[in-house]
Amino acid sequence: MSPSDASPIASPATSYPEDHSVRFGFENTYARLPEHFYARLDPTPVVAPRLVKVNRELARNLRLDPDALASAPGVEILAGNRVAEGAEPLALAYAGHQFGYFVPQLGDGRANLLGEVVACDGVHYDIQLKGSGRTPFSRGGDGRAALGPVLREYIVSEAMAALGVPTTRALAAVTTGERVLRDAALPGAVLTRVAASHLRVGTFQYFAARGDTEGTRMLADYAIARHYPEAAHAKHPYRALLDGVIARQAQLISQWMLLGFIHGVMNTDNTSISGETIDYGPCAFMEGFAPSKVFSSIDHGGRYAYGNQPRAALWNLARLAEALLPVLVQEAGSEEAAVAVANEALTAFEPQFEVARSAGLRRKLGLFTEHDGDAALAQELLERMAANRADFTLTFRRLCDAAAGTEGDAGVRTLFADPGAYDGWAAGWRGRLEKESADGQARAAVMRRVNPLFIPRNHHVEAALDAASKRQDFQLFEDLFEVVSRPFEDRPGLERYAVPARPEECVLQTFCGT
Ligand code: AMP
Ligand code: MG
């Protein structure tokens, strides 16, 4: 769901039942697919559900009554203790490459899809409980989630939505009153996740690995109907599906790169067919710019380092193309022709990614027209930022002030270990800005709409998760959520959220927490 969907488009005409009873109005389509696509089972009840938060604006966009969700019966549903009317709980089957190694069966090991609701935009969205108990796909896991990772996903996914990045959303979080055993005993929680769908590259791999071409075809038809309806009218619909997923992933990854976002676990089971960011594990936003940056404690080889993300995405898309081969053969006439088609589709990724990234960089630099040398100018800044560990987010934000006038330079210079490295670049940038017609203030205003002031900085995230997990104090979580929900606005009094961690506050590693 993109932020334009999340803006207050909720029709005020939506009326909720007077008694605030919980009505989802499920219109389930996945449950109509064959039984081997999933396992039907209800969430496992928990001891003492307690509401942490309901995302009221998102609820209204989904035509759900936020008061009903926050009521005692609503919380029972969000915790998995009661099955809502019309829900058909399922754990979805999927496979996936994890850090390059293929696992033929993963699946929802700790999640239940409750069903789909139709939002104000007319689109179907999945309502899923994550951390809702064991399923046939749990393998050795306990089926549960700890409060910390649930709140991290809540904050970061909502921040991404506010930043304009396609992403799954967080509708609610509840604590369970139970402990989950990780390195320590931690408070348990359930996240209610909203997604355009939970189809992943790994879902296609599940059927491909079983030689189930009929399953692959049905899944492809389903993905087309749900996410790429225009592909149904193409001469080769499955090729068009592959092209569509590649195009959306190219856009998505370019947005991550333009914001300094590191997903951390870009496995094929965490690569969504709809083009949304999904599965917020050890994700983080970079502070000091370093293309080789890795946060995840389990990513030893740097496979999913910031600078490797485009390559990782393309690798995942190649796995999708492989999984689709049997249906591409039906379209192309022969295996050889299908392989050629798949390879041709994949070659589109890099140019599409580059076009999106360079257009984004131009916008970030206030260059609204296109000139030779723009890409080199942007690249030169990034290299100087890297050499000087300049804070990624603040450098671009303060460039907005510098774009309005040279008095803004001072704020940017101080972010560079050697301030002269900025000066040298800024001279060339100012020369280039002379080719733009917008006046300085107008340019700065437009730039502030693409260069956020507020991202969920890791030390604030950690502090919020810590207070919640250790002291049941949710104030920092609420405060941080509020800050990152309006990332582009200057807001007096919130300056401390905009600056990088002091050395002693730095978060060096993040953990999946699963
Ligand atoms: P993730 O790292 O969250 O993308 O999960 C990878 C796979 O492990 C998925 O199949 C999950 O359902 C499964 N999984 C993760 N944590 C647990 C858990 N605590 N219990 C059962 N399955 C889990
Ligand atoms: Mg996953």
Side-chain angles (χ1 to χ4, degrees), residues 94 98 106-107 109-110 138-139 141-144 182 270 279 514:
Y94 55 85
Q98 299 189 306
L106 290 166
R110 51 163 172 170
S138 296
R139 297 173 289 159
D142 61 3
R144 293 300 182 187
R182 298 295 180 259
N270 295 338
D279 266 13
T514 56

Side-chain angles (χ1 to χ4, degrees), residues 424-505:
W425 176 83
W429 177 51
R430 290 199 187 287
R432 168 64 183 82
L433 284 177
E434 279 165 24
K435 297 190 184 139
E436 297 291 321
S437 52
D439 78 88
Q441 290 300 344
R443 178 185 307 128
V446 177
M447 284 171 72
R448 285 191 193 101
R449 280 182 238 145
V450 293
N451 292 314
L453 178 59
F454 299 114
I455 49 156
R457 290 186 181 267
N458 307 315
H459 59 301
H460 290 299
V461 173
E462 289 302 324
L465 270 45
D466 215 54
S469 298
K470 294 194 179 136
R471 303 189 296 280
Q472 294 83 52
D473 175 357
F474 293 94
Q475 195 55 50
L476 292 179
F477 165 74
E478 289 288 347
D479 293 348
L480 183 58
F481 175 78
E482 223 279 306
V483 170
V484 300
S485 307
R486 289 155 66 189
F488 297 108
E489 275 174 53
D490 280 302
R491 293 163 71 194
L494 297 180
E495 291 78 8
R496 67 190 191 84
Y497 286 101
V499 293
R502 293 189 301 271
E504 72 276 15
E505 295 173 323

Side-chain angles (χ1 to χ4, degrees), residues 300-331:
H300 305 295
R303 182 182 173 93
Y304 302 135
Y306 170 81
N308 281 344
Q309 296 186 120
R311 220 170 311 154
L314 179 56
W315 194 90
N316 292 343
L317 291 164
R319 305 290 80 74
L320 174 65
E322 278 168 10
L324 283 172
L325 268 185
V327 297
L328 293 172
V329 168
Q330 291 171 4
E331 280 181 352

Side-chain angles (χ1 to χ4, degrees), residues 30-315:
Y30 209 80
R32 305 284 79 77
L33 287 168
E35 296 283 326
H36 67 293
F37 278 57
Y38 45 73
R40 292 187 186 270
L41 89 162
D42 291 349
T44 309
V46 301
V47 169
R50 222 188 100 205
L51 184 68
V52 174
K53 190 169 181 68
V54 164
N55 190 335
R56 303 185 74 87
E57 187 185 337
L58 177 62
R60 283 189 288 268
N61 284 343
L62 295 169
R63 299 183 196 274
L64 303 176
D65 177 357
D67 292 319
L69 290 175
S71 70
V75 174
E76 292 279 305
I77 292 169
L78 299 173
N81 285 20
R82 203 158 75 87
V83 176
E85 196 186 313
E88 296 174 83
L90 311 175
L92 273 50
Y94 55 85
H97 274 89
Q98 299 189 306
F99 290 91
Y101 295 97
F102 186 61
V103 184
Q105 182 170 305
L106 290 166
D108 288 333
R110 51 163 172 170
N112 290 84
L113 172 65
L114 295 184
E116 298 143 43
V117 298
V118 183
C120 294
D121 58 7
V123 173
H124 276 234
Y125 289 97
D126 280 5
I127 307 289
Q128 188 210 58
L129 300 186
K130 183 173 174 181
S132 51
R134 288 182 53 80
T135 77
F137 305 109
S138 296
R139 297 173 289 159
D142 61 3
R144 293 300 182 187
L147 177 59
V150 163
L151 297 185
R152 181 196 300 280
E153 173 152 358
Y154 200 122
I155 288 200
V156 183
S157 67
E158 287 303 305
M160 291 287 267
L163 288 164
V165 184
T167 177
T168 63
R169 305 287 305 268
L171 178 61
V174 298
T175 49
T176 59
E178 298 175 3
R179 297 254 145 196
V180 296
L181 274 178
R182 298 295 180 259
D183 288 340
L186 303 169
V190 178
L191 178 76
T192 305
R193 178 159 76 176
V194 178
S197 85
H198 283 85
L199 296 185
R200 307 140 189 273
V201 168
T203 320
F204 283 93
Q205 290 180 292
Y206 179 84
F207 296 100
R210 283 157 183 74
D212 182 354
T213 301
E214 183 55 15
T216 306
R217 196 186 56 72
M218 291 185 87
L219 185 65
D221 289 340
Y222 182 86
I224 288 172
R226 193 152 172 193
H227 301 302
Y228 300 90
E230 64 289 350
H233 310 294
K235 186 154 176 244
H236 299 299
Y238 301 130
R239 161 72 197 262
L241 168 65
L242 180 59
D243 287 339
V245 179
I246 289 169
R248 284 197 203 166
Q249 285 288 329
Q251 289 295 328
L252 178 69
I253 309 302
S254 77
Q255 286 188 276
W256 292 0
M257 301 303 279
L258 292 164
L259 291 164
F261 176 75
I262 304 175
H263 181 282
V265 220
M266 292 176 68
N267 292 332
T268 57
D269 55 304
N270 295 338
T271 304
S272 116
I273 295 300
S274 75
E276 291 179 328
T277 312
I278 189 169
D279 266 13
Y280 291 84
C283 58
F285 285 82
M286 243 189 314
E287 296 204 302
F289 182 51
S292 61
K293 185 73 194 162
V294 172
F295 284 101
S296 168
S297 62
I298 54 171
D299 189 1
H300 305 295
R303 182 182 173 93
Y304 302 135
Y306 170 81
N308 281 344
Q309 296 186 120
R311 220 170 311 154
L314 179 56
W315 194 90

